[in-house]
């Protein structure tokens, strides 16, 4: 097994920045154990059947998370399929900011919930809160629903059909203490890694020529969805802080910026501006 891992790592180094980690995760998957259990083992086992086929898939740019069907996010295990964007470490900043901003939140809305990573991480840490994961893709809704069950959150998380490109989409949702969103924000012609462009759902990534189309719909709707004192947190591309801040201000929102693990702008926190002169 040790030798098989070494050879697989060499092969994956051509396509992945995390070749050793990828090889270990795929080996653990082929052995049917966790990566930590595998690393704690003595490594004397024979190469498991099927390992080579998993390495072939990764070498053809398929993301590890889709191959093994799982991704950890905010310390929780999520099931992922090609119907959902793979939760990224950078998005953990949004969850941290949400928990810090409204530890007392009772009603949470996640716009475009995908795997449910944002909503379910927040609900896991706020035992008195309940929430809605708004999602237009039936495949993604099934994944989010499954994750809610897996994490013991089905009673507090409602995965709802919704599409913000349809007029009237926000009517009847109610008001929320926390609104979370990681909408599509990639420019249509952005040069993306093959593992992203060829495997992750385009509908979760691309938002027009400047990547701003979904913010243009979502931000004006936020004031009508926020409860008094409510806070919205929206993930942005690292070069989008200025245009998205301007859009939020035009919608009457006050904006605070949070940076990701690489210190790049990543999350805008928004609240309704207090009325001037009042
Ligand atoms: N952060 C993702 C990427 O760069 C994009 C996520 C999104 O569009 N919401 O691939």
């Amino acid at each position: 097994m040790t030798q098989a891992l070494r050879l697989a790592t060499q092969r994956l180094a051509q396509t992945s920045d995390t070749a050793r980690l990828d090889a270990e995760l795929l080996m653990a998957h082929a052995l049917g154990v966790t990566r930590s259990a595998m690393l704690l083992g003595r490594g004397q086992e024979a190469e498991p059947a099927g390992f080579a086929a998993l390495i072939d898939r990764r070498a053809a740019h398929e993301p590890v998370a889709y191959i093994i069907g799982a991704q950890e996010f905010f310390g929780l295990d999520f099931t992922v399929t090609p119907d959902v964007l793979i939760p990224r470490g950078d998005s953990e900043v949004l969850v941290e900011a949400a928990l810090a901003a409204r530890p007392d939140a009772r009603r949470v809305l996640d716009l475009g919930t995908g795997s449910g990573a944002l909503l379910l991480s927040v609900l896991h840490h706020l035992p008195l809160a309940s929430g809605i994961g708004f999602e237009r893709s039936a495949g993604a809704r099934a994944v989010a629903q499954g994750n809610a069950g897996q994490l013991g959150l089905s009673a507090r998380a409602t995965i709802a059909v919704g599409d913000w490109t349809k007029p009237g989409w926000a009517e009847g949702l109610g008001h929320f203490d926390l609104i979370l969103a990681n909408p599509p924000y990639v420019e249509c012609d952005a040069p993306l890694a093959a593992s992203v462009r060829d495997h992750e759902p385009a509908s979760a990534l691309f938002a027009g020529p400047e990547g701003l189309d979904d913010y243009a719909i979502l931000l004006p709707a936020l004031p009508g969805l926020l409860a008094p004192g409510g806070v919205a947190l929206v993930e942005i591309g690292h070069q989008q802080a200025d245009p998205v801040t301007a859009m939020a201000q035009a919608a009457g929102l006050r904006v605070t910026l949070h940076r990701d693990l690489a210190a790049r702008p990543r999350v805008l926190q928004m609240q309704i501006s207090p009325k001037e002169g009042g």
Side-chain angles (χ1 to χ4, degrees):
M1 183 189 98
T2 316
Q3 172 72 355
L5 269 179
R6 194 173 313 123
L7 291 173
T9 302
Q10 276 169 18
R11 174 140 183 248
L12 294 184
Q14 290 156 34
T15 44
S16 172
D17 294 337
T18 52
R20 176 77 194 188
L21 175 65
D22 293 1
E24 287 175 1
L25 287 166
L26 294 171
M27 175 66 84
H29 183 68
L31 288 167
V33 299
T34 64
R35 174 169 164 258
S36 18
M38 181 193 77
L39 294 176
L40 286 170
R42 297 208 317 276
Q44 303 301 329
E45 306 88 336
E47 179 181 331
F51 178 61
L54 301 181
I55 295 297
D56 287 343
R57 287 169 66 181
R58 181 66 190 120
H61 301 280
E62 190 172 345
V64 171
Y66 292 151
I67 301 175
I68 69 179
Q71 174 66 46
E72 192 212 292
F73 178 79
F74 215 73
L76 300 171
D77 290 321
F78 288 87
T79 292
V80 296
T81 73
D83 281 315
V84 300
L85 194 76
I86 299 165
R88 296 345 191 211
D90 284 335
S91 306
E92 294 179 343
V93 171
L94 191 153
V95 176
E96 264 165 29
L99 295 174
R102 288 301 306 269
D104 59 336
R106 293 299 182 102
R107 294 212 2 109
V108 184
L109 173 66
D110 182 13
L111 292 166
T113 201
S115 65
L118 297 179
L119 176 69
L120 299 173
S121 299
V122 166
L123 293 182
H124 175 81
H125 286 277
L126 301 182
L128 299 180
S130 58
I132 298 176
F134 191 82
E135 177 56 58
R136 72 179 153 189
S137 150
R141 287 197 301 275
V143 174
Q145 196 72 65
N147 281 323
Q150 207 169 294
L151 295 167
L153 294 169
S154 296
R156 295 194 284 127
T158 304
I159 307 304
V161 183
D163 180 352
W164 60 69
T165 64
K166 303 265 161 65
W169 64 272
E171 281 162 23
L173 279 173
H175 297 92
F176 300 88
D177 305 314
L178 278 176
I179 300 178
L180 321 170
N182 178 11
Y185 58 68
V186 177
E187 306 90 324
C188 285
D189 60 357
L192 294 182
S195 62
V196 178
R197 181 175 285 279
D198 298 344
H199 293 276
E200 297 202 70
S203 60
L205 289 169
F206 300 111
E210 293 165 287
L212 298 173
D213 288 9
D214 291 86
Y215 301 123
I217 299 172
L218 292 177
L219 299 188
L222 292 179
L225 290 168
L226 285 167
V231 173
L233 296 118
V234 173
E235 184 167 322
I236 56 166
H238 66 96
Q239 291 169 321
Q240 293 174 326
D242 289 343
V244 182
T245 296
M247 292 160 99
Q249 287 169 343
L253 296 160
R254 186 156 48 90
V255 180
T256 316
L257 170 72
H258 297 277
R259 291 173 183 272
D260 66 17
L261 307 171
R264 292 170 304 193
R266 184 58 65 192
V267 171
L268 294 180
Q269 176 171 334
M270 306 167 186
Q271 277 172 277
I272 297 175
S273 298
K275 293 259 182 308
E276 304 207 352

